[in-house]
Structure formats: C-alpha cells, structure tokens
Amino acid sequence: MIRKKYNISVEATLEVIGGKWKCVILCHLTHGKKRTSDLKRIMPAITQKMLTQQLRELENDGIVNRIVYNQVPPKVEYELSDYGRSLEPILNALCNWGDQHIIKEYGDKSTVLEDNGLNDFNSVNKELMKP
C-alpha cells in the first residue's frame, strides 16, 4: 500500500468530504436516516448518478452506513456511521458560517434558502446585522 502525503491535514478532510455534494448529503443525514429517493427529492439539482456515486464513496470511507432491508420491493436507507457523526461539529460550523454569509450578502435567509423544514428563518443573529 502506497502511503499518501499531505501538505496539511485539511487535505485529508477534503479528500473524504470535499466536492459540491458530500457535505450537503451529510447535513441531510444528520437529521436521520434517508432513502436515496428522499435525498434526491430534497436535493433536486443532483443527478441520480452523482448521488449514487457520492453515497458509495461516503460508504467506502466509513462515513455513512447503507442499510438494506430484506423485503420486496427492496428498501435501502443511509445513515451517518459513528465515525460520520464525528463530522457533525464541522458540518454545524459550515452551516453556521453559511447562515452568516447569507445574512451578510442578502440580509434575509428566506430570500435564498429553500423552505424545506430544515432552515430556521426566524433565528437571525443580531450580531451579524451590526455594521
């Protein structure tokens, strides 16, 4: 096995959760188990192929568990593994920073965030509104 060399530790993190979709998938999974169809519905811009690829990569890295139910029709769910749950503080920090950035740039989160039940439009950090 060839050992990989990184210039800085964040490279190792980004190798696992980097890219356009992985953090989004992981954030949705912090709210509980999801079927592929659930993820596709709440992430309409992702293609089925990309969603499947990203889920497989996250599963291979031990970040998500794929749960297959022995039934007809087949049922598959994804959830964060214990190792994946260790990413929650990072994901929360990314979401918090995103909230601050949206408020700074747009003033009102509801103008740019989907009303999908995951976004809290009532909590506005007043510190961010100060000049």
Side-chain angles (χ1 to χ4, degrees):
M1 180 175 167
I2 298 173
R3 287 187 171 227
K4 192 156 212 166
K5 290 277 192 174
Y6 299 104
N7 289 313
I8 190 168
S9 298
V10 73
E11 290 179 56
T13 305
L14 291 175
E15 186 173 35
V16 176
I17 65 168
K20 182 175 181 178
W21 297 109
K22 286 185 180 176
C23 283
V24 178
I25 292 167
L26 294 172
C27 284
H28 286 301
L29 292 178
T30 62
H31 297 281
K33 294 178 188 175
K34 301 277 186 289
R35 296 178 73 169
T36 308
S37 59
D38 297 331
L39 289 167
K40 181 69 178 103
R41 182 178 38 76
I42 57 180
M43 300 169 55
I46 192 171
T47 65
Q48 185 64 46
K49 179 182 176 186
M50 182 57 70
L51 177 58
T52 301
Q53 177 185 330
Q54 301 292 276
L55 287 167
R56 283 186 185 146
E57 289 176 11
L58 289 166
E59 181 185 10
N60 288 337
D61 287 330
I63 305 300
V64 300
N65 295 324
R66 182 175 187 261
I67 305 159
V68 181
Y69 296 91
N70 190 15
Q71 66 183 48
V72 177
K75 179 181 175 183
V76 176
E77 290 182 324
Y78 292 89
E79 68 178 359
L80 289 178
S81 66
D82 288 341
Y83 187 49
R85 289 242 172 249
S86 70
L87 288 166
E88 283 190 79
I90 295 167
L91 297 169
N92 289 336
L94 287 169
C95 286
N96 290 337
W97 189 90
D99 280 344
Q100 293 173 19
H101 177 70
I102 289 169
I103 291 167
K104 177 185 169 287
E105 293 295 314
Y106 304 99
D108 184 359
K109 293 190 300 183
S110 65
T111 62
V112 293
L113 287 177
E114 295 287 338
D115 188 7
N116 58 14
L118 300 175
N119 298 308
D120 182 9
F121 297 128
N122 295 324
S123 67
V124 175
N125 187 341
K126 300 210 187 312
E127 289 297 312
L128 297 172
M129 302 306 286
K130 290 182 179 176

